[in-house]
Amino acid sequence: MTPSDPPVSLRERKKRATRDALATAALRMAAERGLDQVTVEAVTAEVGVSVRTFFNYFGHLEDAILVAAPDSTARTCRAIVGAPPERSTLSVLREAIAEELTHIEDGHDRWELQCTVLGNSPSLFPRFLAARGADEQALIAAVAERLDVDARTDLRPRLLVHTALAAVRSAVELWTATGRTRPLRALHDEAFAELAAVAGALRD
């Protein structure tokens, strides 16, 4: 939590803990057994809650397996909007996303389990991409707010976000493929340095 984040009540912390426990159990079971061998009933029995409780948090079993960190997008959007106006928007995106990569790096086991499930169940990709698409739209809206433009008619918010996320995806994919032998933040910074070099070349 950063100093700008609002305090979280005990009730909310308990809700988040339950949600995280359900998501973790569903993901681990899907990676170990295969998606077709996992049921909501098995997940809730593992966590010790009711099936009704599961559906208070998730609409489908797949939603629990593919869930992202609940506060990630909101934190990133706040960082984008609140960054000093004199900084370039691409550098703001780089730093805001880098903060979230710390959570991915700390939780690399979860990331790898998710990759395993997606690899074994390609049918999940549309749902996975749809969830990430919602995050992407939130980032586009935050960049548009920072630039004081209308994202429906101005190209820049979409272009900046799509470009930044392509750099992040490249860094994460290389980090995973190489067995995490280099820090994810270093790969992230390298990817954005390459973007800056390309942008400079285009201006020449």
Side-chain angles (χ1 to χ4, degrees), residues 100-148:
E100 294 310 311
L101 290 184
T102 302
H103 298 282
I104 291 178
E105 193 160 22
D106 290 344
H108 60 78
D109 290 341
R110 178 177 182 80
W111 175 267
E112 292 185 353
L113 285 174
Q114 205 167 61
C115 288
T116 297
V117 174
L118 288 169
N120 293 334
S121 304
S123 62
L124 286 179
F125 267 105
R127 189 184 292 271
F128 176 79
L129 293 174
R132 298 311 177 270
D135 294 342
E136 193 172 89
Q137 291 304 311
L139 294 178
I140 290 170
V143 170
E145 181 178 346
R146 173 181 172 79
L147 297 176
D148 193 24

Side-chain angles (χ1 to χ4, degrees), residues 181-194:
T181 54
R182 292 180 59 192
L184 179 54
R185 177 61 187 265
L187 290 169
H188 170 81
D189 290 344
E190 183 179 324
F192 274 87
E194 291 292 338

